[in-house]
Amino acid sequence: GLHMLSEETVALCRDIVRHCCEGLGSEGEDTGSGLSAMDVSHLLRALAKGSVGWSGPAVGLLLSRVLSRPAEFSQTELLVALHAAVQIRDDRVDEVQVHLYNGLLSLLSEELVSGSLRSLKAPDLITASALLAKTGHLDTSAWSSLSRQLAGLLDARLTPSTSGGSEVCIAGGQPESRDDIGSGDEQQSLQRQHRQLAECLIVVLNCFSRIGVQDAPMLRAAYHFLADGSPGVSSGIAVAAFAKLGAASCAEAKGLALPVRDVASAWWNLLHAASSNNSAAPSAVATSLSDLSLRLVGLAHALAGSQPAPWRLRRVLRLEALSLVGIAPEMLQEPSDSARLEEEAESFVEPAAGRHSLVASCSQVLTGLQCLFLLRPSAADNCDSLPALRACIAALDAVQGPLEARGRHRPHSEPALAATVLDVLEQLCSRAAVEPATSFSMGALPQLPVLRPEHAVAQYFIDAALLPAS
């Protein structure tokens, strides 16, 4: 990064940036800078990596150029420039003025809805989704555009050809005729296409879940894609995202008018991704504690609403969940996790970007345990056998230490969102008193406010008696 360079090198970089921006006006006019749209986007990306002393004025001039002449930028160039602007604002908020930042968010929405970003390939769709999620921009039209584009990419995996053959469409790129490639090349193309689309699906699905945008067409397309097979799909991220969106179970799928058959098939494929035999026992081997905790949260939500699912799938969901619970204590005893816990607990900062948080995983394991017991659908699917109870108690003991350590080392203030939690609980109880048979799913209670799962809320232990009105 720039902070590792010598003073002479930084001064040279500063002079280069200043020279490049000569001729740019504060209103986006260009009187001879000679910068192309690609130059502007690349220069912004370089400035996002660190400040060179005169980067503040340069950033303002370059962003004004983006806002005043967006038609000059290709899809990728525009997304690179917008991504750099968001990163610069996160790191050095004073360098991106509020009116420029708001203008860039509006530009992103406009281009997604009716501009150059309304038909993106998979890599650019990933960038656009990450931008909306990172900024927390809740423009429903923009999110709907992402949903429509993702569904289009997934549905266009195999496009009929007018010549009688068929065309393989590679993740939004130009179709390749099936007749022009050999069987081996064709197979490789299909596999490459599926990997690209799977990566795109997981990122977009995770972005929707981070903001709490429950979009039925996007969920329908995702489940339909996963129902055809899920090689290369990160099952932990996928199932946790479905849980956050209130769409992990067959019961919730019915409430959202999603095909229950697709949901059941998708779950079966996700659980058996490593096996070609559907009758084989699911693999409970988690690649990391983070993956284990995410999968457990998703499985617990799916099991809670599994009544409409075939009995065999319900049994597999239960076995997989209990298998993950059983190996959680062993994974939490790794020495590296203990050392990391001390580092995170004693420093009052979050883990670096992309780094797994031990405490977050422990919290997710605790959430999964709560769902297994509090939201179980019936006595036939419960976890009340003695071995299952012992496994759950061992997992609870394992996560208790890290969660208590974080509570001791880090200050905690109850956020304003806690009041919204109480409002949701009050409405749930009020509705249950009038309609006791109503299912407590997100799809069944659409009028309730949606809690954004990325926000911390106060922890409550509640004893509630839901009785019919007398």
Side-chain angles (χ1 to χ4, degrees), residues 164-375:
S166 61
E167 296 175 331
V168 179
C169 185
I170 304 300
Q174 293 298 319
E176 300 178 16
S177 173
R178 185 185 290 264
D179 299 327
D180 293 338
I181 53 180
S183 59
D185 292 337
E186 175 188 348
Q187 188 66 24
Q188 291 181 358
S189 295
L190 289 173
Q191 291 175 352
R192 183 173 68 253
Q193 173 203 21
H194 195 101
R195 286 194 301 269
Q196 291 174 342
L197 291 178
E199 179 184 358
C200 181
L201 167 61
I202 293 304
V203 173
V204 175
L205 184 64
N206 188 47
C207 289
F208 272 75
S209 72
R210 287 174 58 190
I211 304 301
V213 179
Q214 190 190 61
D215 186 272
M218 186 275 298
L219 293 169
R220 186 177 297 109
Y223 271 124
H224 185 68
F225 178 82
L226 294 174
D228 286 343
S230 56
V233 173
S234 174
S235 60
I237 297 176
V239 299
F242 283 132
K244 289 181 179 180
L245 291 171
S249 68
C250 291
E252 290 169 321
K254 290 185 65 177
L256 293 169
L258 304 179
V260 174
R261 176 176 296 182
D262 279 354
V263 176
S265 298
W267 267 105
W268 196 262
N269 288 331
L270 287 169
L271 294 175
H272 295 79
S275 173
S276 60
N277 183 4
N278 283 348
S279 63
S283 171
V285 178
T287 57
S288 66
L289 180 60
S290 175
D291 180 62
L292 180 147
S293 61
L294 292 172
R295 288 169 61 185
L296 181 57
V297 169
L299 282 163
H301 281 78
L303 188 59
S306 63
Q307 278 299 94
W311 69 268
R312 192 166 62 146
L313 177 60
R314 296 203 305 271
R315 178 178 178 273
V316 169
L317 289 171
R318 177 180 177 275
L319 291 175
E320 175 77 356
L322 291 177
S323 297
L324 293 175
V325 170
I327 63 177
E330 180 181 350
M331 299 193 74
L332 280 163
Q333 291 173 358
E334 296 180 3
S336 58
D337 286 337
S338 300
R340 180 155 19 101
L341 171 63
E342 290 300 321
E343 178 185 344
E344 291 181 14
E346 292 176 3
S347 63
F348 293 92
V349 295
E350 293 297 329
R355 182 179 170 195
H356 161 59
S357 170
L358 172 66
V359 177
S361 291
C362 289
S363 179
Q364 288 163 344
V365 170
L366 180 60
T367 299
L369 291 172
Q370 291 171 332
C371 291
L372 286 176
F373 285 93
L374 299 179
L375 302 180

Side-chain angles (χ1 to χ4, degrees), residues 16 43 59 79 91 161 178 180 187-188 240 253 267 269 314 358 379 439 442 447-448 450 455:
I16 292 174
L43 191 52
V59 168
L79 288 171
D91 296 338
S161 172
R178 185 185 290 264
D180 293 338
Q187 188 66 24
Q188 291 181 358
W267 267 105
N269 288 331
R314 296 203 305 271
L358 172 66
S439 171
M442 187 177 291
Q447 77 282 7
L448 294 181
V450 176
H455 286 178

Side-chain angles (χ1 to χ4, degrees), residues 35-42 65 69 72-74 77 81:
L35 292 177
S36 66
M38 179 183 294
D39 294 332
V40 172
S41 63
H42 285 182
R65 166 74 178 273
R69 301 161 72 174
E72 297 180 356
F73 293 77
S74 68
E77 290 166 352

Side-chain angles (χ1 to χ4, degrees), residues 35-110:
L35 292 177
S36 66
M38 179 183 294
D39 294 332
V40 172
S41 63
H42 285 182
L43 191 52
L44 281 169
R45 183 170 63 177
L47 291 173
K49 298 181 181 298
S51 176
V52 294
W54 198 74
S55 58
V59 168
L61 294 173
L62 293 169
L63 294 182
S64 296
R65 166 74 178 273
V66 175
L67 280 173
S68 63
R69 301 161 72 174
E72 297 180 356
F73 293 77
S74 68
Q75 293 177 339
T76 302
E77 290 166 352
L78 182 58
L79 288 171
V80 167
L82 293 174
H83 185 273
V86 172
Q87 185 175 344
I88 292 171
R89 181 171 173 81
D90 284 348
D91 296 338
R92 310 186 300 274
V93 64
D94 295 337
E95 293 189 8
V96 181
Q97 300 178 40
V98 175
H99 75 280
L100 287 177
Y101 184 73
N102 292 335
L104 292 170
L105 292 182
S106 297
L107 175 64
L108 176 59
S109 292
E110 293 170 3

